[in-house]
Amino acid sequence: GYYEILPISQPQDAGGNTSKGNPELQHTTADNFDLRYEFFPKANQQFFIGGFYKKLQNPIENIFLGTTTSEPSNAKEATIYGGEIIYNRYFGDFGINANYAYTHSDVNGSKLDPKTGDTTYQHRPLQGQPENEFNLALEYKNDKAKFFIQIAYQYNGRTLYRVNPYLGYDYYQQPQSFVSLSADKGFGKHFTLFGKFNNLLNTATVIKTYNLKTGNDMTKASGIIGIRYSR
């Protein structure tokens, strides 16, 4: 069992909006091209580098309906390309795990010009796809002592949060940085004491449209401590 030591916030829409279903939603199909190089100099070392290109038909996005409601909807098509680097290595009991991904996405979506009322087209990112993502984890692992601890950092770049039908009014989630900590300690043959603590930086989810802040979810740090039993 376990007990909570800090309140855990439930995921909420930072803009205070609700979503509904779309019975006309179509499946997304994709043509994918991937190239990857993998190098294992030693058993405890890994290095990957790769690139990718994807052409999506009917990508699913979260579309704002003009009130406080949104629904999933299909864009006509989207293009995604980018690259990724992954590096893992242990120095004795100490380890480092790092990865960075750059993803450029493009949707040529229809928009209404609020000044003229005419329909136009605008190139924009795919909803929900950040351009930059970075993860770094530092670890210590001692099998003899049955002890493991990890501190992890995560960065998500600016992301299109919700598509607005009007030109220039799309909702963007601002860049975020997160730090988490986890640890395990074994006792005897059957018991393990563990702890997991998230969002130690108290990072908020901030949404902006037209350079105006429309949502601010002040998510606080959270965590659990527990004991596992295994035979």
Side-chain angles (χ1 to χ4, degrees), residues 84-146:
E84 181 181 24
I85 298 176
I86 301 174
Y87 178 72
N88 302 320
R89 182 173 181 178
Y90 260 87
F91 303 87
D93 293 336
F94 294 91
I96 179 173
N97 296 291
N99 66 75
Y100 168 74
Y102 169 80
T103 305
H104 177 82
S105 60
D106 179 80
V107 176
N108 190 16
S110 62
K111 293 285 187 179
L112 291 175
D113 190 327
K115 297 180 180 180
T116 64
D118 296 332
T119 299
T120 185
Y121 286 86
Q122 177 193 37
H123 287 274
R124 56 168 176 77
L126 182 68
Q127 186 267 325
Q129 177 61 64
E131 192 169 65
N132 293 285
E133 298 174 274
F134 175 70
N135 296 278
L136 174 65
L138 303 178
E139 303 176 352
Y140 174 78
K141 183 178 181 181
N142 189 318
D143 293 332
K144 185 177 180 180
K146 299 181 180 179

Side-chain angles (χ1 to χ4, degrees), residues 186-218:
F187 295 93
K189 296 181 179 181
H190 304 291
F191 293 95
T192 301
L193 177 67
F194 69 89
K196 298 181 180 180
F197 310 93
N198 300 315
N199 197 16
L200 299 181
L201 299 179
N202 292 327
T203 300
T205 299
V206 178
I207 310 298
K208 290 185 178 182
T209 178
Y210 204 64
N211 293 324
L212 299 175
K213 185 184 294 186
T214 61
N216 190 353
D217 183 6
M218 297 298 295

Side-chain angles (χ1 to χ4, degrees), residues 3-43:
Y3 64 89
E4 298 178 3
I5 64 170
L6 289 172
I8 299 178
S9 299
Q10 297 297 324
Q12 294 181 351
D13 188 327
N17 299 294
T18 58
S19 299
K20 72 171 189 176
N22 182 0
E24 298 181 0
L25 204 62
Q26 300 182 47
H27 291 290
T28 300
T29 59
D31 296 317
N32 301 324
F33 301 91
D34 297 274
L35 181 64
R36 183 165 178 169
Y37 172 75
E38 303 181 359
F39 180 53
F40 302 87
K42 294 182 180 180

Side-chain angles (χ1 to χ4, degrees), residues 25-28 57-62 72-75 126-127:
L25 204 62
Q26 300 182 47
H27 291 290
T28 300
Q57 301 294 330
N58 300 316
I60 298 174
E61 298 183 297
N62 195 12
S73 182
N74 293 110
L126 182 68
Q127 186 267 325

